[in-house]
Amino acid sequence: MDKVFNRLRNLDAYPKVNEDFYSRTLAGGVVTVVSAAVMLFLFFSELNLYLYTVTESTLLVDTSRGDTLHINFDVTFPAVRCSILSLDAMDISGEQHLDIRHNIVKKRIDANGNVVEERKDGIGAPKIERPLQKHGGRLGHDEKYCGSCFGAEESDEHCCNSCEEVREAYRKKGWALTNMDLIDQCQREGYVQRVKDEEGEGCNIQGSLEVNKVAGNFHFATGKSFLQSAIFLADLLALQDNHYNISHRINKLSFGHHFPGLVNPLDGVKWVQGPTHGMYQYFIKVVPTIYTDIRGRVIHSNQYSVTEHFKSSELGVAVPGVFFFYDISPIKVNFKEEHIPFLHFLTNICAIIGGVFTVAGIIDSSIYYGQRTIKKKMELGKYR
């Protein structure tokens, strides 16, 4: 057993020196303090890097199917009245949503940008007693109300009990409603008067849309839209005006939930219309994105890039409005938050301690033997 221990003792790469042979110097003490300070500084720097999360990104082909796209928006039109501002959406699959009102909030604003009134779109129409019946007479006490669609009925039992239902019936027929003052439902609800009361005001419209995850567009048009030969047109009725000022500010536009580091390039973008009128177009490329944080929480969202174009009415048919045309990228981006591996951190700490210790030893030895050489030469009289 003693032989084994002796062999192990001979393998000692760190031979010990008796303390009687130690020679401590002032230079060695300074080098020790400086090297210890450098070790501590590098150690805490490495610790900070270890605790800091690093976001790694990868690109993959998006193989998801049947998903929907969530669009959040907040847009201000300083010169367009809320009552004539409508939101429509359609996609290449043929799905269309006209005059969207669900999850939409409109705020009337004055010339200074102050909110005059805030209400959910489609709510607040007054109820007038004894409306005009489909047969031409006024509603009796024992009758059930069934308003006329003014020639746009789909069947004999079809009733239009509000101005919106009359306009919807006309939209389905592809007809233009030429004078809303003659429509009993619109007259009772004060639609025309409401438009006139909002003269000189602007509108802030905000809300969200849930659309198919395919290429499409949504737009804010000056007037309630209807569909004719698959083309959206502005039906402003007797109040129609092709010279609307569509200056606007996009306070917010995002496709999905927010995640750390997300930048929406259209947030805060402002456009002021010049002397020519027309439609302003945004062409957006949506990039599906998955973000996984350090706790494993997964956020499904989207990034996007955008280009812009103004189409003047002088160059042809240009419906006044702001149009957002979006397309879906086939490439998906994965972001994942990660820490530096612990073994990597431990390796770097060992390298710091060993490296600084070795370099400090070389510097100390150089100073020590340099001083000894100079001292010997001085003793021999070579230096005076």
Side-chain angles (χ1 to χ4, degrees):
M1 199 68 178
D2 290 338
K3 291 182 180 181
V4 175
F5 288 152
N6 288 332
R7 288 182 180 178
L8 288 176
R9 190 176 296 110
N10 292 331
L11 294 176
D12 186 5
Y14 310 98
K16 312 305 181 291
V17 180
N18 195 300
E19 291 186 5
D20 296 337
F21 299 99
Y22 283 158
S23 178
R24 302 185 186 276
T25 62
L26 177 62
V30 172
V31 171
T32 302
V33 172
V34 172
S35 61
V38 172
M39 284 185 192
L40 285 174
F41 174 75
L42 295 178
F43 170 77
F44 284 112
S45 297
E46 194 65 31
L47 180 63
N48 186 51
L49 288 176
Y50 172 69
L51 297 177
Y52 182 75
T53 55
V54 178
T55 303
E56 299 289 339
S57 61
T58 55
L59 298 178
L60 302 170
V61 175
D62 187 9
T63 57
S64 60
R65 296 180 299 171
D67 292 343
T68 57
L69 189 64
H70 190 77
I71 305 173
N72 305 297
F73 59 86
D74 181 354
V75 185
T76 299
F77 294 87
V80 180
R81 291 168 280 193
C82 283
S83 53
I84 63 172
L85 184 64
S86 65
L87 172 63
D88 310 303
M90 65 182 300
D91 59 45
I92 59 173
S93 69
E95 187 168 325
Q96 301 149 358
H97 302 277
L98 308 181
D99 194 13
I100 300 171
R101 299 191 171 200
H102 184 62
N103 290 334
I104 305 296
V105 176
K106 290 181 179 179
K107 299 178 182 178
R108 293 169 53 191
I109 56 176
D110 58 22
N112 298 320
N114 300 317
V115 177
V116 177
E117 180 189 17
E118 177 180 347
R119 64 183 173 87
K120 201 167 184 179
D121 200 13
I123 297 177
K127 293 184 179 291
I128 308 297
E129 293 184 357
R130 295 180 57 76
L132 188 67
Q133 284 281 59
K134 186 176 181 179
H135 53 68
R138 290 289 174 181
L139 178 65
H141 292 293
D142 299 330
E143 288 184 294
K144 182 180 179 181
Y145 177 48
C146 179
S148 172
C149 295
F150 298 89
E153 293 88 350
E154 295 180 349
S155 64
D156 293 338
E157 293 78 22
H158 187 196
C159 302
C160 295
N161 296 338
S162 67
C163 181
E164 175 61 28
E165 290 180 2
V166 176
R167 288 170 42 238
E168 182 65 26
Y170 268 66
R171 277 197 291 269
K172 290 180 179 179
K173 291 285 187 179
W175 300 347
L177 201 57
T178 56
N179 194 339
M180 296 183 68
D181 284 325
L182 301 179
I183 305 300
D184 179 68
Q185 291 90 325
C186 299
Q187 188 177 15
R188 286 188 294 106
E189 295 176 7
Y191 177 79
V192 177
Q193 185 60 43
R194 187 165 68 247
V195 174
K196 293 177 180 178
D197 290 342
E198 295 178 4
E199 187 173 357
E201 295 181 356
C203 186
N204 171 260
I205 181 170
Q206 55 185 267
S208 61
L209 296 173
E210 197 81 26
V211 297
N212 295 326
K213 195 176 177 180
V214 295
N217 80 82
F218 65 96
H219 58 267
F220 302 94
T222 53
K224 305 303 180 182
S225 299
F226 69 94
L227 189 64
Q228 186 179 54
S229 302
I231 301 176
F232 284 104
L233 300 175
D235 180 18
L236 300 186
L237 315 177
L239 302 168
Q240 184 166 354
D241 184 355
N242 290 326
H243 302 294
Y244 281 101
N245 184 349
I246 58 169
S247 298
H248 59 275
R249 175 184 172 84
I250 303 174
N251 304 307
K252 176 185 177 182
L253 181 66
S254 63
F255 292 81
H257 302 290
H258 178 79
F259 61 85
L262 174 64
V263 176
N264 297 313
L266 286 179
D267 285 2
V269 169
K270 183 178 181 180
W271 180 79
V272 179
Q273 181 171 293
T276 58
H277 304 275
M279 61 190 295
Y280 203 78
Q281 302 168 311
Y282 293 96
F283 298 92
I284 298 172
K285 177 68 74 171
V286 179
V287 181
T289 304
I290 297 178
Y291 190 93
T292 306
D293 64 17
I294 198 66
R295 297 182 179 87
R297 186 169 62 99
V298 179
I299 301 174
H300 293 269
S301 186
N302 300 276
Q303 304 176 88
Y304 66 90
S305 60
V306 62
T307 56
E308 308 171 21
H309 175 69
F310 176 70
K311 182 179 180 181
S312 174
S313 57
E314 297 176 355
L315 302 177
V317 178
V319 179
V322 179
F323 288 69
F324 297 86
F325 298 91
Y326 57 88
D327 193 9
I328 312 298
S329 171
I331 301 299
K332 176 171 61 177
V333 181
N334 275 358
F335 290 113
K336 187 175 183 180
E337 289 184 349
E338 294 179 339
H339 279 308
I340 296 175
F342 178 74
L343 289 179
H344 186 94
F345 166 72
L346 193 60
T347 302
N348 288 347
I349 295 300
C350 292
I352 288 170
I353 296 173
V356 173
F357 185 81
T358 302
V359 172
I362 293 172
I363 294 173
D364 179 59
S365 297
S366 300
I367 294 173
Y368 177 72
Y369 287 109
Q371 288 178 339
R372 286 187 60 184
T373 302
I374 294 173
K375 187 176 179 181
K376 285 182 178 179
K377 288 184 177 182
M378 289 180 66
E379 290 175 353
L380 293 173
K382 292 186 179 181
Y383 289 105
R384 294 182 180 178

